Structures are given as structure tokens and as C-alpha cells.
């Protein structure tokens, strides 16, 4: 039984996130998509909306569950008995932050391993921030995010 945690802000979830989740779901018994409740970071969507959108987009994946968490990621991982943290890597620019985060987590919890998934080249440029900007100015995000998310971005 191998449980992996895929944590993030998911504000909102993009096709790049979905790609990582679906690939992880093929490797692990269970994947917990963990949406951070972060009151310090201003988010476009509420925690509930971010969780709801993910659930809607992932309803077909039987071994994937969506939850929210606050506090330290490693504490949450231990509580869930997960010893793998999954993160996606897009360009080299992600590396510094991800490296720092993985090493910080390893220092606190040497028993928990961070595994990186290389993005599919189709999504290497894709970020939630750009999606929000494009949608804000009326651009087309239909190829960047799941249908339900594109709809929510239009409504909001
Ligand atoms: O999608 P994001 O915003 O890049 O995700 C960042 C996230 C949520 C994975 C990271 O901020 C996190 O794990 N926060 C929880 C607090 C924590 O454990 N901090 C110590 C490690 S940096």
C-alpha cells in the first residue's frame, strides 16, 4: 500500500496538475490531492471552491481523493500515513524553490521522500497565475484547464 500526497494551492487546478495526478495514480495505491488552506496567500478561489473543482475534475479516478490541509505538510503526510510527496517540475525556474522545499521537508521528516514528475512538454509553460491573468482579460483558457474550471473562471 503506497500512499502519495500531491500538495498545492490549485488556484485553480490546471491541465498540468491533472496530468501529474493521473500519472501518479498509475504508480501509487492511493493519491491524496491536498489543497492548502493558506490564509496568508490571497487566492482567487476559496478553499472550498478549489477542492470542489478538483473533485469534479477527478471524479473518474477511483484511487484519487481530494482533501484540504493546513499547518506543516509533513505533519499532514504523517497523519495520512503517506511517505511520498509528489511535486511537478516544469522549467528550470521551478527547481530552486522545489529543491529548497524538498530539502526542508526532508530535514523535518527524513522518512518522507519527495518525488518529482517532469511535466508533459505540452504543459511546461502552464501556471495557475497565467491562467488567471488570461481569463481576467477575457482570453481563451479552454485548452489550459478542465472544462469545469474554464466555466468557473468565466462566471467569477
Ligand atoms: O502550489 P504551491 O503554492 O506551489 O504549493 C506549495 C505548498 C502548499 C506545497 C507549500 O507551500 C507547503 O507545503 N506548505 C505547507 C507548509 C509547510 O509545510 N512548509 C514547510 C515546507 S516549505
Amino acid at each position: 500500500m503506497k500512499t502519495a500526497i500531491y500538495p498545492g494551492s490549485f488556484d485553480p487546478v490546471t491541465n498540468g496538475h491533472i496530468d501529474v495526478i493521473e500519472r501518479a495514480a498509475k504508480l501509487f495505491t492511493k493519491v491524496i490531492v491536498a489543497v492548502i488552506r493558506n490564509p496568508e496567500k490571497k487566492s482567487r478561489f476559496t478553499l472550498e471552491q478549489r477542492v470542489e473543482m478538483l473533485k469534479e475534475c477527478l471524479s473518474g479516478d477511483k484511487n484519487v481523493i481530494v482533501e484540504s490541509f493546513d499547518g506543516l505538510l509533513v505533519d499532514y503526510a504523517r497523519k495520512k500515513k503517506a511517505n511520498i510527496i509528489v511535486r511537478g517540475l516544469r522549467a528550470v525556474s521551478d527547481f530552486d524553490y522545489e529543491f529548497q522545499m524538498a530539502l526542508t521537508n526532508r530535514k523535518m521528516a527524513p522518512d518522507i521522500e519527495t518525488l518529482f514528475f517532469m511535466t508533459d512538454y505540452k504543459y511546461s509553460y502552464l501556471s495557475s497565475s497565467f491562467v488567471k491573468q488570461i481569463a481576467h482579460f477575457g482570453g481563451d483558457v479552454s485548452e489550459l484547464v478542465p472544462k469545469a474550471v474554464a466555466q468557473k473562471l468565466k462566471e467569477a
Side-chain angles (χ1 to χ4, degrees):
M1 171 89 180
K2 277 263 167 254
T3 301
I5 292 206
Y6 181 47
S9 305
F10 305 105
D11 185 40
V13 58
T14 67
N15 287 343
H17 295 127
I18 300 285
D19 174 57
V20 170
I21 295 166
E22 288 182 342
R23 283 156 59 202
K26 289 187 190 141
L27 295 180
F28 305 111
T29 325
K30 184 162 128 190
V31 176
I32 303 173
V33 180
V35 186
I36 189 159
R37 173 193 299 276
N38 190 354
E40 283 144 41
K41 198 169 159 187
K42 208 172 161 290
S43 60
R44 168 81 162 68
F45 292 100
T46 65
L47 176 67
E48 291 70 24
Q49 287 173 316
R50 287 179 279 143
V51 168
E52 211 38 59
M53 282 188 276
L54 274 157
K55 282 187 176 165
E56 203 172 327
C57 303
L58 295 166
S59 57
D61 297 83
K62 296 286 167 269
N63 61 335
V64 177
I65 62 166
V66 183
E67 290 192 347
S68 60
F69 79 104
D70 51 19
L72 286 178
L73 176 61
V74 291
D75 288 343
Y76 174 72
R78 284 211 176 106
K79 202 167 83 189
K80 293 285 154 185
K81 301 195 182 336
N83 59 356
I84 296 159
I85 294 169
V86 164
R87 292 285 289 172
L89 266 187
R90 290 166 303 186
V92 181
S93 49
D94 279 345
F95 185 78
D96 263 359
Y97 171 65
E98 294 297 336
F99 188 60
Q100 207 179 348
M101 194 155 70
L103 292 191
T104 306
N105 284 332
R106 168 121 50 95
K107 177 86 186 135
M108 291 186 287
D111 51 315
I112 298 175
E113 199 64 62
T114 301
L115 292 183
F116 292 101
F117 279 61
M118 299 302 292
T119 180
D120 188 291
Y121 72 93
K122 292 198 293 277
Y123 307 124
S124 56
Y125 58 90
L126 183 52
S127 75
S128 296
S129 311
F130 284 144
V131 164
K132 283 181 279 192
Q133 273 182 31
I134 296 168
H136 178 75
F137 293 111
D140 179 14
V141 293
S142 59
E143 285 182 26
L144 310 179
V145 293
K147 258 202 187 100
V149 176
Q151 189 56 41
K152 286 271 178 339
L153 281 161
K154 257 191 204 152
E155 286 165 14

